[in-house]
Amino acid sequence: MIHKFTLLESNIVVDVNSGAVHVFDDISFDILDYYKEYSSDEIINKLSNKYDKKEIEEALSEIDELKSKDLLYSSDPYGKYVPLVDSKAVVKALCIHISHDCNLRCKYCFASTGDFGGQRAMMSKEVGIKAIDFLIANSGSRKNLEIDFFGGEPMMNFQVVKDIVAYAREKEKRHNKNFRFTLTTNGLLLNDDNITYINENMQNVVLSIDGREDVNDKMRFRVDGKGCYKDIMPKFKQIANARNQDNYYVRGTFTRENTDFSNDVIHLADEGFKQISVEPVVAAKDTGLDLREEDLPALFLEYEKLAKEYVERRKDGKWFNFFHFMIDLTQGPCIIKRISGCGAGHEYLAITPEGDIYPCHQFVGNDKFKMGNVAQEGIDISTQNLFKNSNVYTKKECGDCWAKFYCSGGCAANSYQFHSDINIPYKVGCEMEKKRVECALWIKAHEMV
Amino acid sequence: MKHIKIINKTTLKDSLKKGGCGECQTSCQSACKTSCTVANQSCENK
């Protein structure tokens, strides 16, 4: 299977199964429309009114060469590597909901402004310790284990964050593990002391801000309705600079109310941030904020506009990274990872303040998906297998999709929210993902040619 | 080649030889938390 597209005057061809990417001139690009169904002579006939015969023959021979080298129309040998349901699942990452309370009331919050539809609650040190023990016990031979402190707002329960980090560090050597910590914060409670602690202990920090002040403050405001931009911006700059502009993300959400989100990305870049992620809202069905099919043409233009600006800035030394444009074509994830997807529900789980286990942070609060509790032995194997057995080979819509090895089947929570089935991809999300990947490949092509 | 420029020929098939160690970062932990992209993760076993 191949995917061919023209973006900003470049003809790009992706060989889906090998992962090879090429830039074609117009002749070779046009030939691909006929290559699989017609003989060389027929193709020459069809294109002879447009191109010189000798040029068509040359281009045909180059396409033949790519095909013979398995860099075009290559086969798919991966089906047999699909994760086996009956093999024991290994847990390697936990999203620890350290606080089910928040000092913001963001309009699009999938966590119901922090409480995930339940009681506002804080995780105790005891539950946190049990979560670490649970992870170690279920991680098999995996050495690298990840903990993301999430909320609500995790800084509202910061002492327990510290307690859990200290406990995990105490345990890791004995169990031959390496813990990596991430903290996701809205920034309101950051101060010099806790910034120092965060920079010394967290491998990654995700700093929530949506971009321009008016856009941010319309969505992200305090209980009294006051926006947070002016308070958080200087703190986020401080933390990013203290980390040498690495191992962090400023992370925003865009909704139907700011479909011109490229301006928010550029705003964050203009403020000096180098690691930026601004992403489409997800769990906003029926809120009026959700992105719809009719929004896609405008969103596609935004991604293109951003890709163009991205390349210009990187060329001029004003570089920044945009999370969804970062594709490493040579040393990216292996095919096994690409088949397995995000790992939610089997290798990645979420833990609530009460110690309840869910497939991921997006499922927290949905009793149907409660898989157990860290205080008890074992977890619900049927739910774990449901997620483990959900991948690009089990999702009908993914079979013919050229982007399947880039998104790995998409987000299960998206699928569930829109179709009540984790195996039916969320179409608007898929279309945006494909556009992002096209832009990312265009950027690579532009920077490498 | 005159008509085609190969941007990347490292094939996913090569990654079968050493892939699947599972030590890489869980994609949702890195930044997104809402929209899955796996291909922008790094390999720990380069």
Side-chain angles (χ1 to χ4, degrees):
Chain A
M1 187 197 312
I2 64 161
H3 174 60
K4 67 192 277 277
F5 64 98
T6 301
L7 186 69
L8 299 167
E9 296 173 1
S10 297
N11 300 322
I12 296 174
V13 178
V14 182
D15 182 51
V16 174
N17 294 322
S18 70
V21 180
H22 316 285
V23 175
F24 277 45
D25 69 2
D26 289 340
I27 307 175
S28 51
F29 196 68
D30 283 350
I31 289 173
L32 291 178
D33 291 337
Y34 307 107
Y35 187 78
K36 289 291 272 184
E37 289 173 50
Y38 295 93
S39 69
S40 296
D41 288 342
E42 285 170 321
I43 293 170
I44 291 166
N45 263 339
K46 282 180 180 297
L47 294 173
S48 59
N49 59 344
K50 206 172 167 188
Y51 304 112
D52 176 68
K53 186 185 171 197
K54 190 168 164 273
E55 294 279 310
I56 302 172
E57 284 171 342
E58 274 177 6
L60 266 169
S61 127
E62 290 183 17
I63 293 172
D64 288 342
E65 188 183 333
L66 288 188
K67 189 166 177 285
S68 71
K69 289 180 174 167
D70 228 12
L71 296 172
L72 208 61
Y73 300 110
S74 63
S75 60
D76 176 354
Y78 309 127
K80 63 182 172 189
Y81 297 98
V82 168
L84 298 171
V85 167
D86 55 359
S87 63
K88 191 179 181 314
V90 167
V91 184
K92 67 175 190 182
L94 295 182
C95 180
I96 293 192
H97 292 228
I98 201 82
S99 161
H100 270 190
D101 197 358
C102 192
N103 41 13
L104 289 182
R105 293 291 181 266
C106 304
K107 271 167 85 175
Y108 47 61
C109 185
F110 67 86
S112 305
T113 69
D115 62 13
F116 288 79
Q119 295 289 313
R120 293 190 182 273
M122 298 291 167
M123 182 176 281
S124 66
K125 180 181 172 183
E126 291 68 32
V127 169
I129 283 172
K130 284 195 173 83
I132 295 296
D133 290 340
F134 167 84
L135 178 56
I136 291 172
N138 287 280
S139 60
S141 59
R142 290 285 185 279
K143 185 174 170 67
N144 294 321
L145 304 180
E146 298 156 42
I147 299 287
D148 184 16
F149 294 107
F150 201 64
E153 171 49 39
M155 299 296 293
M156 291 174 79
N157 195 15
F158 199 54
Q159 184 53 49
V160 176
V161 170
K162 291 179 174 177
D163 292 340
I164 293 173
V165 169
Y167 182 75
R169 289 280 178 243
E170 185 190 316
K171 290 277 173 181
E172 67 183 349
K173 278 205 180 72
R174 195 187 320 158
H175 295 277
N176 191 31
K177 303 292 180 188
N178 175 40
F179 276 96
R180 293 169 176 168
F181 298 102
T182 297
L183 180 91
T184 300
T185 180
N186 64 30
L188 280 181
L189 296 176
L190 289 173
N191 58 39
D192 289 349
D193 287 345
N194 55 38
I195 285 176
T196 302
Y197 177 86
I198 288 166
N199 287 342
E200 284 172 357
N201 291 279
M202 302 290 158
Q203 275 70 20
N204 188 24
V205 190
V206 179
L207 309 167
S208 302
I209 182 169
D210 285 350
R212 292 164 291 179
E213 182 172 353
D214 58 326
V215 169
N216 182 82
D217 285 355
K218 200 173 166 191
M219 286 290 152
R220 305 182 63 78
F221 45 81
R222 298 161 191 266
V223 182
D224 64 7
K226 194 174 153 240
C228 63
Y229 179 95
K230 280 200 164 62
D231 293 313
I232 60 175
M233 182 52 97
K235 293 174 183 174
F236 285 176
K237 285 181 181 176
Q238 181 185 347
I239 207 165
N241 287 329
R243 298 173 79 87
N244 297 318
Q245 290 290 340
D246 202 6
N247 299 313
Y248 81 95
Y249 278 98
V250 281
R251 195 272 187 220
T253 298
F254 68 85
T255 73
R256 207 152 194 258
E257 294 193 10
N258 62 317
T259 50
D260 63 340
F261 68 90
S262 73
N263 295 312
D264 294 293
V265 178
I266 295 303
H267 174 77
L268 293 169
D270 285 341
E271 289 296 322
F273 294 107
K274 299 291 189 190
Q275 313 294 344
I276 301 171
S277 182
V278 174
E279 310 194 20
V281 69
V282 173
K285 194 182 173 193
D286 303 327
T287 62
L289 301 174
D290 56 314
L291 299 160
R292 301 164 202 177
E293 274 193 79
E294 65 255 37
D295 300 323
L296 289 174
L299 296 174
F300 290 171
L301 286 176
E302 281 299 297
Y303 278 120
E304 285 184 19
K305 191 174 143 195
L306 184 58
K308 216 171 159 185
E309 180 74 13
Y310 192 74
V311 165
E312 287 301 316
R313 288 190 178 222
R314 287 161 73 93
K315 211 162 49 190
D316 293 344
K318 293 187 288 179
W319 69 275
F320 67 94
N321 288 324
F322 180 64
F323 182 66
H324 277 130
F325 286 169
M326 294 163 67
I327 286 186
D328 183 346
L329 291 176
T330 53
Q331 293 185 319
C334 63
I335 189 68
I336 306 294
K337 167 85 169 177
R338 290 170 194 251
I339 292 171
S340 315
C342 74
H346 53 111
E347 60 180 29
Y348 167 62
L349 301 169
I351 312 294
T352 69
E354 298 78 21
D356 292 335
I357 302 168
Y358 286 89
C360 84
H361 54 289
Q362 299 262 359
F363 285 94
V364 165
N366 185 336
D367 282 346
K368 199 177 152 194
F369 287 94
K370 187 174 156 184
M371 298 171 71
N373 188 287
V374 291
Q376 296 149 7
E377 288 255 331
I379 56 175
D380 173 13
I381 299 295
S382 63
T383 302
Q384 197 173 28
N385 281 341
L386 172 72
F387 280 82
K388 194 159 172 251
N389 196 32
S390 170
N391 56 62
V392 293
Y393 290 95
T394 62
K395 296 177 184 182
K396 197 166 63 122
E397 286 80 357
C398 296
D400 297 330
C401 178
W402 67 270
K404 60 188 169 188
F405 296 135
Y406 294 95
C407 79
S408 303
C411 168
N414 263 201
S415 298
Y416 187 76
Q417 186 168 30
F418 284 85
H419 300 293
S420 302
D421 184 341
I422 66 166
N423 281 305
I424 304 175
Y426 162 54
K427 195 180 170 206
V428 174
C430 291
E431 294 306 315
M432 281 191 283
E433 173 71 10
K434 285 190 267 188
K435 188 67 187 181
R436 289 193 294 262
V437 174
E438 285 187 349
C439 288
L441 295 174
W442 175 83
I443 290 164
K444 280 285 170 204
H446 216 78
E447 290 184 340
M448 289 169 78
V449 169
Chain B
M1 286 199 271
K2 181 177 153 191
H3 297 275
I4 300 170
K5 289 191 176 72
I6 299 173
I7 300 300
N8 161 54
K9 60 181 176 183
T10 303
T11 69
L12 292 180
K13 289 175 189 176
D14 290 343
S15 74
L16 277 175
K17 293 173 197 158
K18 59 169 188 176
C21 73
E23 293 292 352
C24 52
Q25 188 180 32
T26 306
S27 45
C28 221
Q29 297 282 58
S30 47
C32 59
K33 287 290 183 197
T34 51
S35 49
C36 189
T37 300
V38 172
N40 59 1
Q41 304 298 307
S42 299
C43 176
E44 295 267 349
N45 187 21
K46 288 172 186 171

